[in-house]
Amino acid sequence: MNSIDEKLQPVLNTVIHRNAGELEFHQAVREVLESLGRVISKRPEFAEDALIERICEPERQIIFRVPWIDDQGDVQINRGFRVHFNSALGPYKGGLRFHPSVNIGIIKFLGFEQIFKNALTGLPIGGGKGGSDFDPKGRSDGEIMRFCQSFMIELHRHIGEYTDVPAGDIGVGGREIGYMFGMYKRLTNRYEAAVLTGKGLSYGGSRARTEATGFGSAYFVERMLGTRATSFDGKRCVVSGSGNVAIYAMQKILAFGGVIAACSDSDGYVVDEAGIDLALVKEIKEVRRGRISEYARVKGAGCHYIKGGSIWDVPCDVAMPSATQNELTGHDAKTLIANGVIAVGEGANMPCTPDAVQIFRNSGVLFAPGKAANAGGVATSALEMQQNASRDSWSFEETEQRLATIMHNIHDACAETAKEYGAPGDYVLGANISGFVRVAEAMRALGVV
Ligand code: NDP
Ligand code: 2IT
């Protein structure tokens, strides 16, 4: 199941050689290539004209200096990135991540995943990603604004409604998008709403975009549970993280009748035997921008905070890793299975290590890969672009309904493709093949570019 076709091994070798040290990028490419052996035996035309080699090589990579002045008056320097990975299906589309761990390898892994994710949505968006090693933690609002403005002074020449449309990711939410849009508007003297998504409702944003990634991942998992004639109703769930994706995944799981046993941030996790109180998590994270440890301090009895440690030690029926890459290891996968987990849905990008993914796939646990399960965010970004293009604004209900339909379609396409390629129930294979075929068909039609 996880070996590479001999025709594709040289492609991986070249990627590793050409992108030395970019381990997360190698990991993302390897996982997709492992799925493609079955495609090229059925459709050999996709192995022609170095198509797969071209998919693994970004169309363009931009790295730039971001100077800004902190509250003490000192000059700070960060590094900015934007990778234009693949534009066969539409303008480059993908988020911006501000986190100290960001480097070119991280941005390339995310950009590569984004190509197939965006293809899965069925909407006209290519794949890209960007960000900075800037650490927003502990920074004042003024510092965040000055950083975003400086970042956009350089980025603006590389983006545009028909070129590249960034959005949020870790460390980038509505506040940051607002500051970046303001500077883009000033620099270009254009009210080009669809140049960024995740905007506020007062200046061209879409209803339900904030909720979309988390809601979408819950919709996907609910449908996946349906294939085993079950649902979230009454299930005990663990969701890692307490950021944008985690919060709205928890909200929709609660609406589906599930109970949230635990959530986390990068310092530790909280377990609440009464079920996580989402209003309190939102108050701590969205309003106070505080730490999840405060949750246990406020709640007291029946609730405990574990600094460090692994949230995957908490027994659950459904696990939704929704924080960051490689946060759930093979050891964690074994613990979850021993504790009776029945489904795992990746809210984050590549949160499960390759051995964890393999353990889940071999064990018969339902496993939803990130590029399918978290595609609701970028799909709703594409709906935001549609609303901007038609100068329209849809209701929350209409937008959410479209999101739900898109997630159900992605689920069904992954399930059907897995069956067609001889691996029923294997959503990893289904997502990789189904996304790849859509991009590959367009790339063939466009010639060698
Ligand atoms: P946020 O910045 O809103 O939240 C991130 C959460 O994950 C926080 O709780 C954060 O804790 C935790 N976290 C981040 N980095 C680490 C780390 N290195 N170790 C442990 N915990 C960490 O980001 P999002 O919720 O937007 O993103 C979460 C994941 O979902 C990412 O993988 C992102 O790529 C993916 N994603 C996001 C989409 C979106 O629309 N926003 C769409 C699709 C995927 P702390 O506050 O302590 O840093
Ligand atoms: O990883 C992702 O899909 C995102 N961060 C959202 C990208 C987008 O353009 O909305």
Side-chain angles (χ1 to χ4, degrees):
M1 203 193 260
N2 66 339
S3 63
I4 292 201
D5 184 279
E6 57 178 26
K7 288 204 203 67
L8 296 174
Q9 187 63 48
V11 181
L12 181 62
N13 294 347
T14 302
V15 166
I16 292 170
H17 176 74
R18 191 176 265 159
N19 306 281
E22 297 175 6
L23 301 183
E24 291 84 2
F25 179 47
H26 304 170
Q27 181 183 334
V29 172
R30 181 190 299 271
E31 191 215 86
V32 170
L33 294 184
E34 280 171 3
S35 297
L36 297 189
R38 293 179 198 232
V39 184
I40 58 170
S41 19
K42 203 165 170 159
R43 302 198 51 186
E45 69 273 21
F46 289 148
E48 290 168 7
D49 299 330
L51 188 147
I52 299 174
E53 287 86 334
R54 279 186 286 140
I55 274 200
C56 295
E57 180 67 15
E59 291 174 14
R60 187 176 300 107
Q61 306 183 47
I62 303 142
I63 303 184
F64 50 96
R65 181 172 71 195
V66 188
W68 56 283
I69 297 174
D70 69 18
D71 284 348
Q72 283 66 50
D74 293 330
V75 176
Q76 299 281 342
I77 302 294
N78 285 100
R79 185 172 279 189
F81 303 89
R82 189 71 186 166
V83 173
H84 289 168
F85 224 118
N86 192 297
S87 59
L89 295 178
Y92 309 108
K93 182 84 196 87
L96 295 169
R97 176 178 291 191
F98 292 170
H99 192 272
S101 63
V102 163
N103 56 44
I104 189 65
I106 297 277
I107 298 300
K108 272 155 75 177
F109 117 63
L110 291 163
F112 185 75
E113 289 284 288
Q114 201 83 46
I115 303 170
F116 306 101
K117 181 196 303 191
N118 293 4
L120 281 169
T121 67
L123 297 164
I125 40 179
K129 199 84 189 188
S132 175
D133 57 5
F134 172 69
D135 187 356
K137 273 203 196 85
R139 290 296 177 188
S140 70
D141 201 56
E143 290 177 315
I144 299 284
M145 181 175 75
R146 291 193 295 281
F147 175 81
C148 289
Q149 291 178 335
S150 180
F151 185 83
M152 186 51 82
I153 286 172
E154 185 62 34
L155 185 69
H156 86 280
R157 59 186 110 248
H158 305 292
I159 63 176
E161 177 181 0
Y162 295 103
T163 310
D164 178 12
V165 183
D169 193 85
I170 291 177
V172 178
R175 173 179 60 165
E176 292 74 19
I177 294 291
Y179 293 147
M180 286 191 274
F181 184 70
M183 184 49 93
Y184 183 86
K185 185 172 77 60
R186 183 176 179 195
L187 288 165
T188 59
N189 193 30
R190 281 162 65 83
Y191 205 107
E192 188 187 333
V195 68
L196 290 169
T197 61
K199 299 183 293 297
L201 294 182
S202 58
Y203 63 97
S206 172
R207 291 188 179 80
R209 174 62 189 90
T210 304
E211 295 82 358
T213 311
F215 276 22
S217 62
Y219 276 119
F220 190 104
V221 172
E222 177 78 350
R223 193 148 177 108
M224 186 168 77
L225 289 165
T227 65
R228 302 245 173 111
T230 183
S231 72
F232 269 117
D233 195 24
K235 297 286 186 303
R236 186 179 153 95
C237 306
V238 168
V239 180
S240 65
S242 49
N244 174 263
V245 178
I247 284 177
Y248 294 97
M250 290 193 267
Q251 186 164 319
K252 191 51 76 179
I253 290 170
L254 292 171
F256 281 138
V259 177
I260 312 293
C263 68
S264 63
D265 63 18
S266 57
D267 294 335
Y269 64 93
V270 278
V271 184
D272 189 340
E273 289 309 332
I276 291 286
D277 173 351
L278 190 57
L280 180 57
V281 175
K282 283 188 181 179
E283 164 68 23
I284 293 168
K285 287 294 174 180
E286 294 186 333
V287 182
R288 287 191 243 158
R289 296 183 187 273
R291 308 306 303 159
I292 206 67
S293 53
E294 293 166 31
Y295 181 99
R297 269 203 298 278
V298 175
K299 279 277 161 170
C303 173
H304 57 283
Y305 172 70
I306 289 103
K307 195 169 155 47
S310 172
I311 191 173
W312 311 118
D313 291 342
V314 180
C316 62
D317 303 307
V318 181
M320 303 277 289
S322 305
T324 194
Q325 65 276 355
N326 292 328
E327 56 159 311
L328 193 164
T329 64
H331 174 79
D332 297 325
K334 287 181 191 151
T335 307
L336 283 164
I337 291 168
N339 287 334
V341 78
I342 59 166
V344 178
E346 292 190 321
N349 285 307
M350 211 168 77
C352 297
T353 61
D355 54 333
V357 175
Q358 210 47 45
I359 289 166
F360 290 134
R361 286 164 89 191
N362 292 341
S363 69
V365 167
L366 289 165
F367 180 78
K371 63 170 77 68
N374 71 37
V378 76
T380 308
S381 279
L383 300 181
E384 181 171 333
M385 293 163 73
Q386 268 184 43
Q387 291 169 80
N388 294 152
S390 57
R391 304 190 185 281
D392 201 354
S393 176
W394 308 335
S395 70
F396 193 95
E397 292 68 28
E398 177 177 357
T399 318
E400 190 186 351
Q401 189 47 56
R402 289 188 194 226
L403 165 66
T405 304
I406 291 168
M407 295 316 296
H408 291 166
N409 290 344
I410 295 175
H411 171 277
D412 295 357
C414 293
E416 280 155 26
T417 306
K419 210 184 284 172
E420 180 190 340
Y421 282 84
D426 187 342
Y427 290 88
V428 173
L429 199 91
N432 288 338
I433 295 182
S434 164
F436 168 79
V437 167
R438 183 151 186 259
V439 180
E441 280 173 349
M443 284 179 73
R444 272 176 61 74
L446 297 176
V448 178
V449 290

